[in-house]
Amino acid sequence: MKQLVTAERLCLISHTLSMAFGLAGLLLVLPNPEFIVNLSEFGQKVFQWSMAGGGVSYIILGAAAVALYAYRVLGTRLWLTFMVPAVVLSLGSELLGTSTGFPFGHYQYLSGLGYKVAGLVPFTIPLSWFYMGLVCYVLARAGLESIQLPTWVRQIGAIALGALLLTAWDFVLDPAMSQTQFPFWQFQEEGAFFGMPYRNLTGWMGTGAIFMSVAAFFWGKAPLRLSRSQLGLPLITYIVNFAFGAVITLVALDSRFVIPTLLSMVLGVVPAVVLWWIASPLEAAETEMAIEPLPANTLSQVSLPPVEVAAK
């Protein structure tokens, strides 16, 4: 178990560092070509490799960290019954979108995110749907479990809230990845929502809700009792991925994009933190031990030492 925790943390740290390195490259190095020219031949090769593989590596590392977390904390069944639907259904949605324009609008992927499935969708894209989708759903479901609500309300609420968290992240992701000087994909139509078509947002919400609903069916009605400490990785993953898109959006684009960034915070980051906060501060086993009452006949089974009475 300790080895799993170590591997999980190493993947999360590497995921975060790779995004920080990508930020430096996109915002500081690429806009200043003289810096690249002054590098040694070896340095230029390293930089070219990092720019070519940076997008792939940070997504793979994020997916690996979340997969290890899900295996360790949720178990094999819950991990796979979320990952498989998320990867398969998001890939199908992306292939449909890049082919027909439904449900996200007309767009196409450029280079930088790895091998393209059917020449249309980078293989890393379904992995990003998986790892961000899982952290959003786990935060939503575990947080709502701590509130006294009917089971069906918690079930539907977790799907809706998880899909909302996922879509809120896209408010900063899409501008950062499609409208900057060095894009990874581009829309082929001018969208009314800060360059994005409104159906892109409904497409995100719908795609997330569909694979989360499939996962919820397989997970069943059993409560997901996770403590704040057990929700640490999902919260950190959500925040660092939000920060990656938000920094690029605010630095590389004009002041108009403060609005979608604030919307992403209000609809995504703030609810994620609140859901983490309202979760139990103790792990389920510790909570049960803390509140477990003593058996009724406990006192009768306790043998007291004999009491000596001093003679007068």
Side-chain angles (χ1 to χ4, degrees):
M1 184 63 71
K2 289 183 178 179
Q3 293 177 335
L4 277 178
V5 173
T6 300
E8 176 188 314
R9 289 176 178 174
L10 284 175
C11 286
L12 179 60
I13 292 170
S14 300
H15 172 63
T16 304
L17 290 176
S18 65
M19 283 193 288
F21 188 87
L23 283 176
L26 291 171
L27 300 178
L28 299 177
V29 179
L30 286 178
N32 299 285
E34 64 277 3
F35 175 85
I36 304 173
V37 173
N38 292 329
L39 291 174
S40 64
E41 183 178 351
F42 175 76
Q44 290 183 4
K45 288 182 179 179
V46 170
F47 178 78
Q48 290 172 1
W49 176 86
S50 64
M51 286 294 101
V56 174
S57 62
Y58 101 78
I59 294 175
I60 290 178
L61 288 167
V66 172
L68 288 170
Y69 164 84
Y71 173 76
R72 179 178 64 86
V73 175
L74 305 176
T76 304
R77 185 180 69 84
L78 298 190
W79 161 44
L80 291 179
T81 52
F82 191 98
M83 185 176 73
V84 174
V87 169
V88 172
L89 293 174
S90 66
L91 176 60
S93 187
E94 292 276 0
L95 288 172
L96 185 64
T98 50
S99 301
T100 68
F102 176 84
F104 306 105
H106 293 282
Y107 68 105
Q108 64 178 356
Y109 284 98
L110 305 177
S111 60
L113 294 176
Y115 167 79
K116 294 180 182 179
V117 179
L120 295 172
V121 180
F123 79 97
T124 51
I125 294 300
L127 295 179
S128 67
W129 279 97
F130 153 64
Y131 83 79
M132 285 299 288
L134 187 137
V135 302
C136 291
Y137 182 69
V138 166
L139 283 168
R141 181 155 176 169
L144 291 179
E145 290 287 352
S146 64
I147 304 174
Q148 296 299 319
L149 295 170
T151 300
W152 69 270
V153 174
R154 293 200 302 268
Q155 292 278 88
I156 296 175
I159 295 168
L161 192 51
L164 177 63
L165 293 178
L166 188 62
T167 305
W169 170 53
D170 186 56
F171 288 174
V172 292
L173 178 69
D174 249 312
M177 298 290 100
S178 67
Q179 299 186 53
T180 55
Q181 188 178 357
F182 306 100
F184 290 88
W185 62 80
Q186 62 183 183
F187 285 99
Q188 296 164 324
E189 56 184 293
E190 183 65 26
F193 185 76
F194 299 94
M196 297 176 283
Y198 282 109
R199 57 179 168 165
N200 177 60
L201 304 179
T202 58
W204 269 76
M205 192 81 179
T207 299
I210 289 171
F211 68 69
M212 288 179 192
S213 297
V214 174
F217 172 79
F218 286 112
W219 285 24
K221 298 180 180 180
L224 190 65
R225 295 176 180 173
L226 298 179
S227 66
R228 290 178 197 163
S229 62
Q230 291 174 310
L231 293 172
L233 184 138
L235 181 64
I236 292 171
T237 301
Y238 189 86
I239 290 176
V240 296
N241 278 269
F242 159 79
F244 176 72
V247 170
I248 297 176
T249 297
L250 293 175
V251 173
L253 299 175
D254 60 62
S255 58
R256 292 182 303 124
F257 288 89
V258 171
I259 296 175
T261 303
L262 290 175
L263 284 174
S264 183
M265 290 186 64
V266 171
L267 298 177
V269 176
V270 172
V273 173
V274 170
L275 289 164
W276 168 81
W277 179 254
I278 64 176
S280 172
L282 300 175
E283 293 187 17
E286 296 175 347
T287 304
E288 290 170 3
M289 290 177 63
I291 64 175
E292 184 177 3
L294 292 173
N297 61 345
T298 297
L299 293 178
S300 63
Q301 297 175 359
V302 176
S303 58
L304 299 176
V307 178
E308 297 181 2
V309 181
K312 294 183 179 178

